[in-house]
Amino acid sequence: MTRRPISALWLVLAASLWMTLVGNGALWQRLTELNLLAGSRGLAFGAALWLAIWALLAALLGLFAWRPTLKPTLVLLLFSTALARHFMASYGTLIDPGMLVNAMQTDWREAGALLNWQLLAGVLVLAALPAWLIWRQPVAYGGLQRQLWRNPAFSLAALLALAALVLAMFQPLASASRNNKDLRYLVNPVSSVVSVARLAARPFQHEAGPLQPLGEDAQLALASPTGSAARPRLLLLVLGETARSDHFGLNGYARPTTPALEREQVLSFRNAWSCGTSTAESLPCMFSHLPREEYLRRNGNYETLLDVLQRAGLAVLWLDNQSGCKGVCDRVPNGATDTTAASKLCSGGECLDGAMLEQLDARLAALDPARRARGTVVVLHQMGSHGPAYAHRSPASAKRFLPECTSNALQDCDPEQLRNAYDNSIAYTDQFLGEAIAWLRRNPTGTDNALMYVSDHGESLGENNLYLHGMPYAIAPDVQKHVPWITWLSPGFAQAAALSDSCLRGRADARVSHDDYFHSVLGLMDVSTHIYRIAQDAYAPCRQDANWAGRLPRQAAARQHAVPSGG
């Protein structure tokens, strides 16, 4: 049976209506929670908003109502609508540029952990089926001359309707959007389209071009505080993943999630904050010399902390058990865990974090011995507590809290079982950090050793119906930004760095952030450069070496606040 062709613009109206109807459940739920749809005025506001979304989508799609572009655009938006609907409804995810960056940088292991029958069913019913029907439907486009005036006229008419609807509901709309900034990210699929456009504009905003060098004057101090020859230092930087500060027992959490760290009597900054709510945001930011606000408005891109450490003559190594270093480690020796290694910690194409320690000695042996003689900085990038498959982030031996949620459909999990699974992942991080400290104690010899653990961001575990992470920073809950910052110093390292243990413990509640990460590492490794800011070194207030400031380059003392931001 031959199908009767329909007008391209009628197809635009029908597809826009479908996406408006099926894609915005999270928006209506949020408006209901805010009591904005109550009573006759609320219903009128809801109806006007629904029509406005339809008109906006129709205006957008009218620009693509041409034979080569219409069906591909509709199919793409249908799948975008279905996917966004699932993640907004299931995890409370908001679709903004940062979330799109996360999606683009997700590897197959992370993507696989998000697959479940609800996602597949939703995509099949809401996207694949209508896309198939659209693809089979004959469309009457009309002649080229007719399209040249009709398509723009259609979009203009839809925009005029949108303008009239916005004016009619301007007061409640302005109040709602001003007081609840998350609403703008819930308009589906408009939020996806806007986020793609903003993401595409970023290279122009930051004037992408040659990477600007950083710390070209970087050098190491050659003497210890006592005047004797300094021993090389080994600093293990552990980058935590998705760890919440308030789920660490040594930070006051009621559950015993950190017995190994407590036995080691580590130092913990309990008031530490991230510069992003996702790995893609936080890693480049924390390894930048710029504080968060300057980093966001920079014009151009700079080398990172690792480049400065390497320029100072240190050996640098990045070992990854996650989805990459987001460009931070591109110019230093780097690698990922060998998932094919004959280890009980590796199976199914991924490894538990302990595999990094198993493979570390061989990786270090491959570094330049002349650099290692000056000092070494090793970055271990954890899988940590990456969700939603929290149960996969800990071995059976570390599962102290049972039963645990084993599903990746977190909204269907019992809240207590979800907490158990997440806390087991924290308990395994505690075990891993304890093993890392034991490794530092025994190997290698002839160095003063230290460990600094800081997580990239936190996690939502169902509070206010939010799960996972990646919310826009301005409206993200504190649990996605409040992170653990833990330090272990060998006696030799503490003495060489002239750090007072009692002073550091007295600063446990002082506010620190990822803004301080770059400068704190430079201070711990005794690297002097004019870009170092002593005010952003979290350890500097407890340094007792009277001669330490004098070992900085002269310009560093005079130009603590003259770091170029490009902003």
Side-chain angles (χ1 to χ4, degrees):
M1 180 179 176
T2 304
R3 288 171 170 253
R4 182 180 178 182
I6 65 171
S7 165
L9 297 180
W10 278 112
L11 184 59
V12 164
L13 284 172
S16 301
L17 177 60
W18 174 258
M19 287 183 275
T20 303
L21 285 171
V22 305
N24 288 284
L27 174 63
W28 308 127
Q29 180 179 351
R30 179 66 173 141
L31 291 172
T32 301
E33 292 171 355
L34 295 171
N35 204 34
L36 294 175
L37 301 180
S40 57
R41 290 187 178 181
L43 291 176
F45 169 67
L49 181 59
W50 178 79
L51 290 171
I53 297 171
W54 185 15
L56 179 56
L57 274 177
L60 174 66
L61 290 173
L63 301 176
F64 294 88
W66 309 86
R67 187 182 301 274
T69 57
L70 180 59
K71 288 188 177 182
T73 301
L74 291 179
V75 169
L76 183 63
L77 274 187
L78 282 169
F79 278 93
S80 172
T81 301
L83 289 169
R85 175 190 178 277
H86 169 79
F87 288 108
M88 287 192 290
S90 298
Y91 303 115
T93 300
L94 300 183
I95 308 301
D96 72 324
M99 187 58 66
L100 292 184
V101 171
N102 295 337
M104 289 187 292
Q105 296 186 356
T106 295
D107 61 22
W108 66 270
R109 294 178 299 174
E110 294 178 354
L114 294 168
L115 294 178
N116 55 52
W117 69 267
Q118 293 167 319
L119 171 60
L120 297 176
V123 169
L124 177 64
V125 174
L126 303 180
L129 181 58
W132 176 74
L133 293 172
I134 286 173
W135 208 260
R136 293 183 67 245
Q137 174 64 49
V139 177
Y141 292 95
L144 179 60
Q145 288 185 341
R146 186 180 180 190
Q147 283 184 283
L148 284 173
W149 68 263
R150 189 182 62 172
N151 291 359
F154 174 86
S155 292
L156 179 60
L159 287 175
L160 291 174
L162 172 64
L165 289 163
V166 169
L167 286 174
M169 60 174 175
F170 181 77
Q171 185 173 352
L173 178 64
S175 176
S177 60
R178 182 173 59 250
N179 296 323
N180 305 279
K181 293 182 179 179
D182 59 322
L183 292 176
R184 69 188 70 177
Y185 300 107
L186 293 174
V187 181
N188 187 23
V190 176
S191 58
S192 301
V193 175
V194 172
S195 294
V196 167
R198 289 175 58 192
L199 198 59
R202 279 189 178 180
F204 302 99
Q205 294 170 350
H206 295 317
E207 298 180 3
L211 201 63
Q212 300 184 42
L214 196 64
E216 294 180 297
D217 61 338
Q219 59 184 351
L220 294 176
L222 299 179
S224 72
T226 61
S228 60
R231 291 181 2 137
R233 298 179 188 179
L234 170 61
L235 176 60
L236 207 58
L237 298 176
V238 180
L239 291 180
E241 169 63 39
T242 320
R244 289 170 53 148
S245 178
D246 64 349
H247 277 241
F248 275 57
L250 79 169
N251 287 343
Y253 188 44
R255 284 181 159 184
T257 54
T258 55
L261 291 174
E262 290 170 48
R263 284 194 299 270
E264 295 291 352
Q265 298 184 328
V266 298
L267 305 164
S268 179
F269 290 127
R270 297 188 290 257
N271 191 16
W273 298 84
S274 70
C275 60
T277 61
S278 68
T279 305
E281 284 183 315
S282 286
L283 282 198
C285 181
M286 65 195 296
F287 280 80
S288 167
H289 66 295
L290 302 172
R292 181 177 183 273
E293 294 303 321
E294 292 181 44
Y295 177 79
L296 292 176
R297 62 174 191 266
R298 72 195 185 283
N299 291 328
N301 291 304
Y302 296 84
E303 292 179 337
T304 73
L305 169 64
L306 301 186
D307 296 292
V308 178
L309 294 171
Q310 187 165 255
R311 185 166 285 128
L314 295 166
V316 181
L317 172 66
W318 180 291
L319 186 54
D320 209 286
N321 194 38
Q322 244 252 41
S323 57
C325 68
K326 316 306 179 189
V328 170
C329 67
D330 288 353
R331 294 163 300 281
V332 303
N334 65 84
T337 46
D338 181 4
T339 59
T340 64
S343 169
K344 63 181 180 180
L345 298 177
C346 299
S347 64
E350 62 179 75
C351 295
L352 291 167
D353 289 326
M356 290 189 286
L357 294 176
E358 291 182 345
Q359 301 171 17
L360 186 53
D361 288 318
R363 304 270 186 174
L364 283 175
L367 297 179
D368 181 354
R371 287 183 172 272
R372 290 186 64 187
R374 300 185 192 102
T376 306
V377 177
V378 177
V379 184
L380 301 181
H381 187 197
Q382 281 187 280
M383 179 62 77
S385 301
H386 197 287
Y390 304 122
H392 294 171
R393 306 299 171 234
S394 59
S397 60
K399 295 187 185 299
R400 303 170 189 167
F401 312 106
L402 296 170
E404 65 176 2
C405 168
T406 57
S407 171
N408 59 6
L410 301 183
Q411 71 280 8
D412 294 337
C413 288
D414 175 82
E416 189 65 15
Q417 293 183 19
L418 175 60
R419 186 166 75 118
N420 287 346
Y422 181 81
D423 285 350
N424 285 333
S425 72
I426 298 295
Y428 179 61
T429 286
D430 171 73
Q431 176 183 320
F432 168 70
L433 293 176
E435 292 170 354
I437 292 171
W439 180 88
L440 285 170
R441 278 206 172 97
R442 68 177 182 267
N443 181 38
T445 58
T447 57
D448 292 323
N449 303 332
L451 177 146
M452 191 169 87
Y453 165 84
V454 184
S455 185
D456 57 353
H457 54 78
E459 185 85 328
S460 288
L461 296 173
E463 301 92 347
N464 299 314
N465 294 318
L466 295 178
Y467 297 89
L468 303 178
H469 53 267
M471 288 278 286
Y473 195 87
I475 59 176
D478 283 352
V479 294
Q480 293 190 24
K481 298 183 286 189
H482 188 196
V483 296
W485 182 320
I486 292 163
T487 312
W488 175 85
L489 306 172
S490 70
F493 194 106
Q495 182 179 8
L499 291 172
S500 165
D501 181 81
S502 60
C503 174
L504 288 170
R505 295 185 188 282
R507 284 178 47 79
D509 292 314
R511 184 181 176 94
V512 295
S513 76
H514 283 172
D515 291 354
D516 306 318
Y517 191 87
F518 180 101
H519 307 279
S520 298
V521 172
L522 290 184
L524 287 175
M525 293 305 293
D526 216 357
V527 174
S528 60
T529 168
H530 77 278
I531 59 173
Y532 168 79
R533 297 183 182 182
I534 193 171
Q536 287 179 235
D537 181 344
Y539 304 96
C542 296
R543 191 170 280 111
Q544 298 178 315
D545 177 11
N547 299 316
W548 177 78
R551 297 203 303 271
L552 295 173
R554 184 173 300 174
Q555 65 267 35
R559 298 173 59 194
Q560 285 295 312
H561 302 286
V563 179
S565 70

